[in-house]
Amino acid sequence: MRNRLASMLLAGATLMTAFGAQAAEKVTLQLKWVTQAQFAGYYVAKDKGFYEAEGLDVDIKPGGPDIAPAQVLAGGGADVVVDWLPSALATREKGVPLVNIAQPFKTSGMMLTCLKESGIKKPEDFKGKTLGVWFFGNEYPFLSWMAHLKIPTTGGADGVTVLKQGFNVDPLLQKQAACISTMTYNEYLQVLEAGVKASDLVTFKYEDEGVATLEDGLYVLEDKLKDAKFKENMVKFVRASMKGWKWAEENPADAADIVLENDASGAQTEAHQKGMMTEVAKLTAGSTGALDKADYDRTVKTLLGGGSDPVITKEPKGAFTTEITDAALK
């Protein structure tokens, strides 16, 4: 009798487990880049059970130099992606209806890092120089800035030569470029880790130059928001993700460890990820996840003000919604 009762309890527990697994709603998140502390909030939310508590089974897909999140989203490979607003707005204007549903990053971490020996002291000194630039949507803030400066990106003495930059800082270390694109939380740290002294560098932060645009936000396809169940899942996803981000801000070293545990490539180092998380926390600080309309308007104005070749040519319509964060933050 006892054995039979034990068997019945075990069977019941198995059924409950199976039911729970079936009940969990699957959500696939496509990151903008490889596994690193830039995305710590999502890894923390998964590790700490914040997604599970919302009834979600979240699959986090790393990105890379040849992965465009918008293309993955349009192709059905993800439900939600991390992308930058300039890329999202340019993509939307080209016909892929991306919509921002949340904005975990409040501040831009993008900058150009230059060798002091290049003679560059101010943006006007970029003329005649070779500058490293990321592509796959990351080029838009740079192109917009150059347009504001009225500096052509086609080379020559009065323009700049654009070097398509990979995922490392070699162009600067090998002096193939006078400046390269860097993030405060990643490539700039890599340059210092390579032995270059901060005193031998000149940096230009987009925030300081008045051309900062919104970076890591969460985007979905517009048509998906017509589905009530999808919207419900996104509310849960955003709520859990922001819990992850706030936990990461308060526990940067532990958050970095969680990222490292999820790095299947083994390419990241503990020191770099902890340094990265400290810097990333500065960019998410003050964000509840809700898009700030003033920040959005500033980004749009910057992208529209690109002279004869702006990143976007008209004021976007329907490019963001606060409906998801309004519900998530109740």
Side-chain angles (χ1 to χ4, degrees):
M1 182 69 179
R2 186 178 298 172
N3 289 339
R4 183 181 177 187
L5 178 60
S7 297
M8 290 174 64
L9 291 173
L10 179 60
T14 302
L15 284 172
M16 288 295 291
T17 301
F19 177 78
Q22 291 172 0
E25 295 286 338
K26 292 187 177 297
V27 172
T28 299
L29 168 67
Q30 174 64 62
L31 302 181
K32 187 172 177 62
W33 198 243
V34 298
T35 300
Q36 57 184 27
Q38 177 184 356
F39 312 109
Y42 310 111
Y43 287 112
V44 166
K46 186 166 184 174
D47 182 84
K48 293 297 178 183
F50 299 156
Y51 291 136
E52 184 179 6
E54 293 283 359
L56 300 179
D57 177 12
V58 177
D59 179 25
I60 304 174
K61 296 173 66 173
D66 298 324
I67 295 176
Q71 292 179 8
V72 176
L73 191 66
D79 299 299
V80 56
V81 301
V82 177
D83 207 347
W84 290 356
L85 186 55
S87 174
L89 293 181
T91 301
R92 184 178 176 85
E93 190 167 291
K94 292 173 183 176
V96 181
L98 298 186
V99 178
N100 179 297
I101 61 168
Q103 187 60 46
F105 274 44
K106 174 71 175 172
T107 309
S108 168
M110 195 173 187
M111 59 184 182
L112 279 180
T113 295
C114 312
L115 291 171
K116 186 175 288 186
E117 65 184 53
S118 68
I120 294 175
K121 297 180 180 179
K122 56 188 183 300
E124 290 72 20
D125 296 334
F126 293 150
K127 293 178 180 179
K129 301 295 195 298
T130 296
L131 308 182
V133 180
W134 296 310
F135 280 76
F136 291 97
N138 300 334
E139 72 272 24
Y140 295 123
F142 171 81
L143 295 176
S144 182
W145 185 15
M146 293 303 107
H148 279 270
L149 292 172
K150 295 181 170 55
I151 298 179
T153 56
T154 51
D158 293 324
V160 297
T161 298
V162 174
L163 173 67
K164 187 175 180 180
Q165 186 177 327
F167 58 89
N168 56 44
V169 297
D170 289 351
L172 191 74
L173 301 180
Q174 298 172 4
K175 301 183 180 179
Q176 298 168 338
C179 312
I180 60 171
S181 297
T182 61
M183 303 303 291
T184 55
Y185 53 79
N186 192 5
E187 290 78 15
Y188 180 71
L189 299 180
Q190 290 179 25
V191 173
L192 298 181
E193 289 163 4
V196 181
K197 297 179 181 177
S199 58
D200 292 330
L201 299 170
V202 178
T203 59
F204 299 90
K205 292 184 178 180
Y206 282 56
E207 284 279 354
D208 296 341
E209 299 301 325
V211 291
T213 52
L214 285 173
E215 292 167 2
D216 295 39
L218 292 171
Y219 295 84
V220 302
L221 291 176
E222 189 170 359
D223 285 350
K224 288 278 196 172
L225 292 171
K226 297 175 183 177
D227 183 331
K229 186 62 179 177
F230 179 83
K231 286 169 62 176
E232 181 184 346
N233 286 343
M234 288 302 101
V235 169
K236 294 176 179 178
F237 175 78
V238 168
R239 182 162 51 225
S241 295
M242 289 313 300
K243 286 181 181 178
W245 274 117
K246 295 308 150 183
W247 192 96
E249 284 178 23
E250 296 170 3
N251 306 276
D254 291 336
D257 286 338
I258 290 172
V259 170
L260 288 167
E261 290 170 4
N262 284 275
D263 177 27
S265 71
Q268 307 291 357
T269 66
E270 181 179 359
H272 185 74
Q273 288 308 301
K274 289 187 175 179
M276 183 185 290
M277 186 61 238
T278 298
E279 293 300 318
V280 166
K282 298 175 184 178
L283 307 184
T284 59
S287 173
T288 62
L291 177 69
D292 186 313
K293 184 62 163 52
D295 293 340
Y296 172 85
D297 289 341
R298 181 196 69 215
T299 296
V300 169
K301 182 179 179 180
T302 297
L303 300 178
L304 283 170
S308 61
D309 189 25
V311 172
I312 55 175
T313 61
K314 57 188 177 183
E315 187 84 22
K317 302 293 184 184
F320 74 92
T321 179
T322 62
E323 190 174 4
I324 302 300
T325 49
D326 286 347
L329 296 172
K330 281 183 179 178

